[in-house]
């Protein structure tokens, strides 16, 4: 068993026979004091030749998922790698070059080397420890002479022209926008707009990699990337949806249920996107698979014409189980309810009741759902407001308050300023920084994010809700019996597949996704009050 990164680097270095290609960054990782027996080296060579990735597995074991997520280093299971390379093998023209952005230990490059024995291989990877492992694998598998390793950010990578198609294949790193530098967000925005695409600073690194591919790819090139599936619906994913409808040439989409573990150490919905640059087919083939053994062949799926896809604000409706076909006696929840996420306080430590609120007038303290557990513990009905914390919600115009109340409010606001509650983004964008602006109580509340399907709870306590929950507000008067029946139906039928699954198994339901849940039509409920 490999003990740490020093030993892993030394082992990879030892397995590399031609060390002239190594960069200074790679050499600096190696401790020459660590040695290995011939038996140990032979064991690793045998495992690699048998199709394994023992060094890559050691890398994932030594460096925790939490650390690797900082660079988006999530390694891909062989079943997915093989399915994607198999799809590429079925294209009309063999590639003369394969490019893997974010190559890691080289799983895609190794599979492509076997499938296309004449192609040049280009691995782009920012982590020198991963490139050492990749070079060791290439040495043992015999494709090192046609391999080029670029230790750099893919967004800075330039690709010379070649006579023939390039295959782009891999698992672009998933890094959330919070961890992307401002200068890189500026690059993304400017690059997207140069193609006429919408751009958002909220886009993750995997979307940046798609855009860089669009920049450097040529008509006739093709590719397949596996990423998290959230881009299908979120606003910042629109740039990728536009790219696929435009010059990137979307060919097919294969969404993988999170229970199939498309990413080894993250319970996340995966999406394999296949594209043909400059040669968009008339239809985009789309499907969902429950297990990895259903991936091959990646020609299966429902053919959806592009005008239909381009008119849809979200694409998940085309790939969910059973979608887009529905029973004729069903409607979308959004036809009966407006779904609103709860209010953002901007500083829960100030606005959720504590000792600081003791002198405030009770009429400004509202029982509220402040955490998902409030709803999960309530079951089908939230009946007792005494079990909830209270949120401070002051009026915008405090100067009209009676003198005794105004004195207490101003004393509280003086303390709140010391806590800098008046300086946050949310506070500075309110009509008055001290007025949270809670919504009226919703008759049905539902959880926003959990490791389970959403819980729908009747709000008999008249509770307000923060942004950890959604409120369902009827668009017309509705009887208590109808509300009870709708909540019951939603609890029985809503599934995790209707939301978006993120790393760690969290399933998120945005208001739009809740609005699209199916329920029986109004006549089933005797709905009006």
């Amino acid at each position: 068993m490999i003990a740490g990164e020093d030993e892993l680097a030394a082992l990879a270095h030892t397995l590399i026979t031609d060390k002239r290609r190594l960069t200074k960054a790679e050499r600096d990782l190696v401790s020459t004091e660590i040695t290995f027996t011939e038996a140990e080296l032979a064991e690793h060579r045998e495992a690699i030749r048998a199709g394994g990735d023992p060094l890559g597995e050691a890398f994932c074991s030594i460096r925790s998922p939490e650390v690797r997520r900082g660079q988006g280093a999530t390694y891909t299971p062989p079943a997915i790698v093989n399915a994607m390379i198999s799809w590429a093998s079925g294209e009309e023209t063999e590639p003369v070059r394969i490019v893997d952005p974010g190559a890691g230990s080289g799983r895609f490059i190794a599979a492509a080397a076997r499938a296309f024995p004449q192609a040049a291989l280009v691995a782009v990877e920012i982590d020198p420890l991963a490139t050492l492992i990749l070079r060791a694998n290439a040495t043992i598998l015999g494709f090192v002479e046609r391999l080029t390793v670029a230790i750099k950010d893919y967004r800075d990578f330039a690709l010379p022209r070649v006579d023939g198609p390039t295959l782009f294949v891999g698992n672009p790193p998933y890094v959330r926008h919070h961890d992307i530098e401002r200068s890189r967000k500026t690059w993304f925005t400017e690059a997207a707009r140069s193609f006429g695409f919408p751009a958002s600073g909220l886009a993750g690194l995997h979307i940046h990699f798609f855009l860089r591919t669009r920049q450097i790819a040529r008509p006739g090139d093709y590719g397949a990337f596996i990423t998290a599936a959230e881009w299908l619906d979120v606003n910042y994913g629109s740039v990728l949806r536009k790219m696929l409808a435009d010059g990137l040439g979307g060919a097919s989409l294969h969404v993988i249920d999170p229970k199939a573990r498309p990413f080894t150490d993250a319970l996340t919905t995966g999406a394999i996107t296949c594209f043909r640059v400059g040669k968009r087919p008339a239809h985009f083939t789309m499907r969902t698979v429950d297990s990895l053994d259903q991936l091959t062949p990646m020609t299966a799926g429902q053919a959806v014409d592009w005008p239909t896809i381009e008119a849809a604000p979200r694409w998940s409706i085309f790939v969910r189980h059973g979608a887009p076909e529905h029973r004729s006696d069903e409607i979308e929840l959004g036809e009966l309810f407006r779904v609103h996420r709860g209010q953002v306080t901007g500083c829960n430590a100030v606005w959720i009741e504590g000792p600081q609120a003791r002198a405030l007038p009770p009429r400004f303290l509202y029982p509220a759902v402040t955490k998902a557990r409030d709803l999960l513990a309530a079951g089908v009905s939230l009946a007792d407001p005494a079990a909830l914390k209270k949120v401070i919600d002051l009026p915008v115009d405090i100067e009209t308050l009676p003198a005794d109340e105004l004195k207490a409010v101003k004393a509280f606001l003086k303390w709140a300023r010391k806590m800098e509650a008046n300086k946050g983004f949310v506070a500075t964008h309110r009509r008055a920084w001290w007025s949270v602006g809670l919504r009226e109580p919703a008759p049905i509340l539902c959880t926003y994010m959990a490791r389970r399907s959403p819980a729908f709870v009747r709000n008999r306590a008249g509770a307000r809700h923060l942004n950890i929950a959604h409120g369902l507000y009827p668009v017309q008067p509705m009887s208590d019996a109808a509300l009870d029946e709708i909540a019951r139906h939603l609890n029985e039928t809503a599934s995790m597949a209707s939301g978006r699954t993120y790393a760690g198994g969290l399933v998120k339901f945005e208001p739009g996704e809740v609005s699209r849940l199916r329920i029986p039509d109004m006549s089933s409920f005797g709905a009006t009050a």
Side-chain angles (χ1 to χ4, degrees), residues 419-484:
M419 298 293 289
E420 298 189 341
N422 59 321
K423 294 183 178 180
F425 176 85
V426 173
T428 56
H429 285 74
R430 291 199 279 242
R431 286 181 61 196
W433 68 265
W434 57 78
S435 185
V436 171
L438 293 172
R439 292 185 180 276
E440 291 298 311
I444 300 175
L445 297 169
C446 76
T447 53
Y448 166 50
M449 181 180 284
R451 289 181 174 84
R452 47 157 289 170
S453 54
F456 294 85
V457 180
R458 284 284 282 117
N459 182 15
R460 301 186 188 280
R464 312 303 174 97
H465 64 292
L466 297 187
N467 63 318
I468 52 76
H470 298 319
L472 277 58
Y473 295 85
V475 297
Q476 63 184 50
M478 193 170 287
S479 69
D480 280 345
L483 291 166
D484 290 345

Side-chain angles (χ1 to χ4, degrees), residues 108-418:
F108 283 97
I109 283 291
R114 290 191 296 270
F116 306 108
Q118 304 304 315
L121 308 168
V122 181
V124 187
E125 170 58 52
I126 202 167
D127 186 341
L129 178 56
T131 60
L132 270 177
I133 295 170
L134 190 157
R135 292 184 195 273
N137 287 332
T139 299
I140 293 163
L141 294 174
F143 61 81
V144 71
E145 292 302 320
R146 51 192 178 109
L147 173 67
T148 299
V149 177
I151 306 180
K152 61 170 48 185
D153 191 305
Y154 182 59
R155 291 166 293 186
D156 299 326
F157 177 66
L159 194 63
R161 289 179 179 268
V162 292
D163 186 13
T166 294
L167 166 64
F168 296 85
V169 64
N171 178 357
Y174 180 85
V175 176
R176 298 178 67 196
H177 77 92
H178 310 80
D179 299 316
I180 296 176
E181 305 94 323
R182 184 179 297 275
S183 61
R184 292 297 187 179
K185 291 185 177 184
T186 300
W187 167 86
F188 176 77
T189 301
E190 293 175 351
R193 288 175 179 169
S194 72
F195 288 106
F197 299 140
S200 168
L202 302 181
L205 186 58
H206 55 305
I207 307 295
H208 288 213
F209 273 46
F210 267 104
L211 182 57
R212 183 56 181 161
T213 301
R214 177 67 181 86
Q215 284 184 319
I216 63 178
R218 304 294 176 188
D221 295 346
Y222 52 96
F225 288 158
I226 179 167
T227 64
E230 64 190 58
W231 63 265
L232 294 173
D233 289 342
V234 294
N235 288 337
Y236 63 75
S238 63
V239 63
L240 177 51
R241 299 195 292 272
K242 293 288 187 182
M243 272 192 279
L244 293 170
D246 185 67
L248 196 59
S252 62
L253 176 72
H254 312 267
V255 175
I256 307 170
D257 189 283
K259 294 189 292 294
R261 301 305 292 252
F263 304 102
T264 306
D265 44 38
L267 188 62
T268 304
T269 307
I272 299 174
T273 308
C274 302
F275 52 91
R276 300 185 181 109
V277 181
K279 295 174 61 178
R280 191 189 79 180
H283 297 84
F284 194 40
T285 302
M286 310 173 85
R287 64 168 176 157
T288 298
V289 298
D290 296 313
S291 61
L292 299 186
D293 59 12
Q294 294 176 352
L295 273 175
T296 305
M298 278 179 29
T299 53
Q302 176 184 357
V304 185
D305 64 89
W306 275 105
T308 300
I309 300 169
E310 290 181 274
R314 299 173 179 85
W315 286 10
S316 62
I317 59 172
F318 300 110
V319 292
R320 288 187 182 130
H321 294 284
E325 296 181 2
H326 299 294
R327 288 171 46 183
S328 60
D329 60 346
E330 288 186 334
I331 60 175
E332 288 191 348
L333 182 68
E335 295 184 41
L336 297 185
F337 291 86
R338 297 290 177 262
V339 182
H340 293 290
R341 187 180 305 161
Q343 190 57 269
V344 179
T345 70
C347 185
N348 284 352
V350 170
W351 302 112
I352 294 179
E353 178 188 22
Q356 79 278 14
R358 286 173 183 162
L360 285 173
R363 68 189 180 107
F364 299 141
L365 276 66
Y366 296 84
V369 172
T370 59
K371 54 185 182 296
R373 286 195 300 275
D374 293 339
L375 295 179
L376 298 176
V380 298
S381 177
L382 179 64
D384 183 9
L388 302 173
K389 292 184 177 180
K390 295 179 180 179
V391 173
I392 302 163
D393 194 9
L394 301 171
V396 172
D397 187 4
I398 59 174
E399 296 300 331
T400 62
L401 297 177
D404 58 336
E405 290 189 346
L406 181 58
K407 180 179 179 181
V409 167
K410 286 192 171 181
F412 166 77
L413 293 182
K414 181 178 180 181
W415 172 84
R417 283 191 181 90
K418 290 181 180 179

